[in-house]
């Protein structure tokens, strides 16, 4: 046999290198049991010698597959268990009357339509109707997700609320035909996940917000881009959307730096007149605020954190007020000068956004925003207290009882409130077409506040909440009329309502070791700030009660977000 199979060279003994280490040596019989690798078994197989219990025809998959490694009967994971009874079957997932179909009305703004979708379970959301025509191979999922994240980044960096950012991201993905998308927004991180079906792996992308700035002109441009993407009459391809987004990023701010500095001075001057100052007080308060603004820009250019920028920005107005007290000037009220400088620094925008995120259920983002507000407030307190302590040591007679009495000048106050809103709108880099509307909104809010707090004698905190509610209501109406964000019509309008005087007198009480009076005044300032934020959000929500919004067929209202309790 060997001679027939090969030549003499085939009969040479093999070397040790050619022999496998696992080949049994000569003279040792081969094992009758084949190697385990030839017949792999499941680790869940029943061991040899163990007899399984007899099962019926309708047994579960575990009993059917456990008869041994060679069993050919494989049960389904969805087979009913042995204890299943048709008469005592649990209720079906889908009720007998069916699930109400949701139809999105085209007349409602995309913000309301997407907010309704976000507050619905994934299984009940209607299938997307692509507004923009995808390619022949279907939507480019990575590019759509990247575009969505970039749009959300600009909105979140501009100060938009977390719910509105998620609504915009959801609108972009649905417009390009992506279903089963879940956006997630926190204070500095945005992520979105797309799962084509239950059997496909999800695709997840994220983006981090490194820098935040206030530019409502850029914010309005992003809203116009999202509105065009969600409109059937306008065709916006992915390339066109990327091009417009790049133009929005490259556009310069509408107002140069020196205009912003003058606007900061005008805001402080108008606030000083609002709390009882005269023309000379206006000039001095404006000068102190502009000096603080320049110092803050100097620190920012050196890379110092915002905390220290707020500290140095709060010092010049307080220093000027203390200097006027030491010179015993009777024509200028130092308290009005210091209060005007505080008005220009109080973080009203971040406070409103933080409380709004908390009321809509975005607690992580709300906590981060409120923590940022707390740091800014502590920075302002630190800067003012340092100067006030120094003034007290030098013998400055700062009178905490010198409350502002300005109700005898209603016309001057209304004009000062409108000037404050105008300057605030410039600082927020708003579009020129929105400055007049927000100025009028702030003037109306101050009229309501003055009529309630000073004429009717109602609590200032309650009057502030009502006035802020009207600001939110009118701002929401303006935004619906222009199909844009409501922030440009709200943020500057709450400027006259900020608790600048309560903050100053609270800090003065602390500086003079009168902690009870100081803490009571600071508590009033905190209550007023919360009243502003809650009033603005409540006014925005009230406007939706009387608007036609998308809902289920049969007149179902807009779904509210359920929280910890079951109603």
């Amino acid at each position: 046999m060997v001679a027939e199979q090969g030549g003499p060279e085939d009969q040479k003994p093999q070397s040790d290198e050619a022999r496998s280490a696992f080949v049994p040596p000569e003279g040792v019989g081969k094992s009758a049991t084949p190697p385990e690798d030839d017949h792999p078994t499941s680790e869940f197989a029943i061991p040899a010698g163990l007899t399984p219990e007899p099962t019926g025809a309708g047994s579960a998959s575990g009993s059917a597959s456990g008869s041994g490694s060679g069993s050919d009967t494989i049960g389904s994971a969805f087979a009913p268990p042995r204890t299943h009874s048709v008469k005592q079957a649990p209720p079906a997932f889908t009720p007998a009357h069916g699930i109400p179909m949701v139809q999105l009305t085209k007349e409602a703004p995309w913000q309301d339509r997407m907010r309704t979708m976000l507050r619905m379970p994934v299984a009940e959301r209607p299938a997307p109707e692509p507004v923009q025509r995808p390619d022949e191979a279907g939507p480019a999922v990575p590019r759509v997700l990247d575009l969505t994240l970039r749009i959300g980044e600009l909105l979140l960096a501009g100060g938009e609320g977390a719910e509105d950012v998620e609504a915009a991201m959801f609108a972009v993905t649905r417009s390009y035909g992506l279903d089963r998308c879940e956006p997630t927004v926190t204070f500095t991180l945005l992520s979105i996940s797309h799962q084509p079906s239950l059997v496909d792996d999800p695709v997840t992308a994220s983006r981090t917000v490194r820098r935040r700035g206030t530019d409502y002109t850029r914010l309005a441009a992003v809203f116009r881009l999202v509105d065009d993407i969600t409109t059937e009459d306008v065709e916006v391809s992915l390339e066109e959307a990327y091009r417009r987004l790049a133009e929005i990023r490259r556009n310069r701010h509408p107002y140069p730096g020196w205009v912003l500095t003058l606007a900061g001075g005008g805001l402080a001057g108008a606030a000083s007149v609002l709390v009882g100052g005269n023309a000379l007080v206006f000039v001095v308060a404006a000068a102190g605020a502009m000096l603080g603004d320049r110092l803050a820009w100097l620190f920012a250019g050196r890379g110092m954190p915002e905390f220290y920028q707020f500290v140095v920005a709060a010092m010049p107005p307080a220093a000027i007020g203390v200097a006027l007290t030491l010179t015993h000037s009777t024509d200028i009220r130092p308290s009005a000068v210091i209060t005007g400088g505080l008005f220009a620094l109080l973080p009203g925008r971040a406070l409103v956004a933080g409380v709004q995120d908390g009321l809509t259920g975005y607690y992580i983002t709300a906590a981060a925003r409120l923590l940022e507000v707390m740091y800014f407030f502590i920075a302002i307190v630190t800067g003012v207290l340092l100067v006030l302590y120094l003034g007290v040591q030098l013998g400055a007679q700062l009178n905490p009882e010198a409350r502002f009495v300005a109700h005898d000048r209603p016309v001057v106050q209304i004009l000062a409130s409108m000037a404050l809103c105008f300057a605030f709108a410039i600082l927020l880099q708003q579009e020129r077409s929105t400055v007049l509307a927000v100025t009028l909104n702030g003037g109306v809010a101050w009229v309501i506040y003055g009529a309630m707090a000073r004429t009717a004698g109602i609590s200032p905190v309650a009057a502030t909440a009502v006035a802020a509610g009207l600001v939110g209501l009118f701002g929401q109406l303006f935004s619906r009329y222009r199909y844009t964000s409501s922030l440009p019509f709200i943020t500057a309008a709450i400027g006259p309502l900020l608790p600048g005087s309560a903050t100053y007198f609270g800090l003065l009480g602390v500086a003079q070791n009168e902690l009870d009076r100081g803490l009571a005044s600071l508590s009033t300032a905190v209550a007023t700030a919360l009243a502003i934020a809650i009033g603005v959000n409540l006014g925005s929500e009230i406007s939706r009660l009387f608007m036609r919004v998308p809902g289920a067929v049969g007149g179902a209202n807009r779904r509210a977000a359920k929280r910890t309790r079951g109603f």
Side-chain angles (χ1 to χ4, degrees):
M1 293 294 293
V2 175
E4 294 178 358
Q5 292 180 358
E9 63 275 7
D10 295 336
Q11 301 179 7
K12 295 180 181 180
Q14 297 181 352
S15 62
D16 294 338
E17 289 79 4
R19 184 185 301 273
S20 173
F22 299 98
V23 176
E26 297 180 1
V28 179
K30 298 183 179 180
S31 175
T33 304
E36 186 178 359
D37 295 341
D38 295 343
H39 298 278
T41 59
S42 173
E43 62 180 357
F44 298 101
I46 299 178
L50 181 62
T51 303
E53 297 180 0
T55 57
S59 61
S61 61
S63 300
S65 61
S67 59
S69 61
S71 176
D72 296 334
T73 304
I74 301 178
S76 172
F78 300 96
R82 290 179 298 171
T83 58
H84 175 76
S85 176
V86 178
K87 296 182 179 180
Q88 299 179 355
F93 179 76
T94 303
H97 54 79
I99 298 176
M101 183 179 63
V102 176
Q103 293 180 350
L104 301 180
T105 57
K106 301 299 183 180
E107 294 80 5
W110 62 265
Q111 294 95 325
D112 282 338
R113 289 186 278 121
M114 295 303 109
R115 190 179 290 109
T116 301
M117 297 290 295
L118 287 173
R119 295 184 178 184
M120 292 175 55
V122 179
E124 298 182 14
R125 292 174 183 171
E129 300 177 0
V131 176
Q132 306 299 331
R133 291 179 297 179
D135 298 334
E136 296 180 356
V141 175
R143 297 196 64 193
V144 173
L145 296 183
D146 179 71
L147 175 67
T148 302
L149 289 174
R150 291 177 182 272
I151 290 177
E153 178 191 8
L154 286 181
L155 293 177
L156 186 61
E160 191 63 66
E163 187 178 31
D164 292 329
V165 175
E166 284 194 2
M169 296 172 64
F170 201 70
V172 174
T173 56
R174 289 185 66 88
S175 298
Y176 285 107
L178 296 188
D179 193 11
R180 307 180 70 89
C181 288
E182 287 295 335
T184 303
V185 175
T186 58
F187 186 53
T188 57
L189 180 65
L190 300 98
S191 63
I192 187 168
S193 178
H194 167 64
Q195 188 174 12
S197 65
L198 294 176
V199 297
D200 293 330
D201 295 332
V203 180
T204 304
S206 62
R207 195 172 183 87
T208 303
V209 178
R210 300 293 182 185
R211 297 183 59 185
R212 294 184 303 275
T214 303
D215 190 343
Y216 283 176
T217 299
R218 178 178 297 175
L219 190 69
V222 176
F223 264 81
R224 283 194 295 269
L225 174 59
V226 177
D227 186 64
D228 291 342
I229 291 176
T230 56
T231 303
E232 296 181 353
D233 300 336
V234 181
E235 182 178 355
V236 183
S237 62
L238 283 176
E239 289 74 14
E240 177 67 16
Y242 269 105
R243 185 189 62 80
R244 291 180 57 177
L245 195 61
E247 290 180 355
I248 293 173
R249 286 179 174 274
R250 287 196 302 265
N251 283 347
R252 300 178 62 87
H253 298 305
Y255 308 105
W258 63 271
V259 174
L260 298 180
T261 302
L262 290 178
L267 191 154
S272 64
V273 174
L274 193 65
V275 295
N278 51 22
L280 186 57
V281 172
F282 178 94
V283 175
V284 175
M290 288 189 291
L291 179 58
D293 180 77
R294 288 294 91 191
L295 288 176
W297 276 104
L298 179 62
F299 271 54
R302 295 295 186 270
M304 298 294 291
E306 285 184 301
F307 181 87
Y308 301 104
Q309 297 177 27
F310 272 79
V311 171
V312 298
M315 285 184 173
I320 292 177
V322 171
L324 293 175
T325 303
L326 292 175
T327 58
H328 304 285
S329 176
T330 58
D331 297 332
I332 301 178
R333 302 181 62 177
S335 57
V337 175
I338 299 176
T339 303
L342 291 178
F343 264 91
L345 296 176
L346 291 177
R349 175 183 61 86
L351 175 66
V352 171
V355 175
Q356 181 178 0
D357 287 341
L359 293 177
T360 52
Y362 295 84
Y363 299 117
I364 297 178
T365 307
R369 290 185 189 272
L370 293 178
L371 184 62
E372 182 187 39
V373 171
M374 185 188 71
Y375 272 105
F376 289 163
F377 188 77
I378 292 176
I380 297 171
V381 169
T382 302
V384 174
L385 278 181
L386 288 176
V387 177
L388 291 181
Y389 273 125
L390 180 61
V392 171
Q393 296 300 323
L394 295 177
Q397 300 297 325
L398 297 170
N399 185 12
E401 300 296 336
R403 299 290 176 177
F404 303 130
V405 181
H407 59 273
D408 56 341
R409 304 186 305 171
V411 178
V412 175
Q413 280 191 303
I414 293 174
L415 294 177
S417 64
M418 296 178 67
L420 191 153
C421 295
F422 179 83
F424 204 173
I426 299 299
L427 283 176
L428 295 175
Q429 302 278 3
Q430 291 191 197
E431 292 180 306
R432 292 177 175 84
S433 58
T434 63
V435 172
L436 179 60
V438 71
T439 301
L440 295 177
N441 197 10
V444 172
W446 183 257
V447 169
I448 298 299
Y449 170 80
M452 295 182 63
R454 299 183 176 178
T455 303
I458 302 176
S459 170
V461 176
T464 301
V466 174
L470 290 178
V471 168
L473 177 62
F474 292 152
Q476 196 65 232
L477 295 177
F478 281 132
S479 67
R480 288 174 180 273
Y481 175 73
R482 298 176 61 99
Y483 289 93
T484 184
S485 172
S486 60
L487 289 181
F489 304 98
I490 291 178
T491 306
I494 65 174
L497 304 176
L498 294 176
S501 59
T503 303
Y504 164 68
F505 286 116
L507 297 179
L508 182 58
V510 173
Q512 294 180 342
N513 291 327
E514 298 180 358
L515 297 180
D516 294 339
R517 182 167 52 190
L519 293 178
S521 185
L522 289 177
S523 300
T524 302
V526 173
T528 303
L530 292 178
I532 293 173
I534 295 175
V536 168
N537 180 264
L538 183 60
S540 300
E541 294 295 331
I542 287 176
S543 67
R544 297 190 178 101
L545 294 177
F546 306 100
M547 296 291 178
R548 183 183 180 185
V549 296
V553 176
N557 294 327
R558 165 176 170 260
R559 291 176 179 241
K562 290 186 178 181
R563 297 295 170 245
T564 55
R565 305 186 69 175
F567 56 83

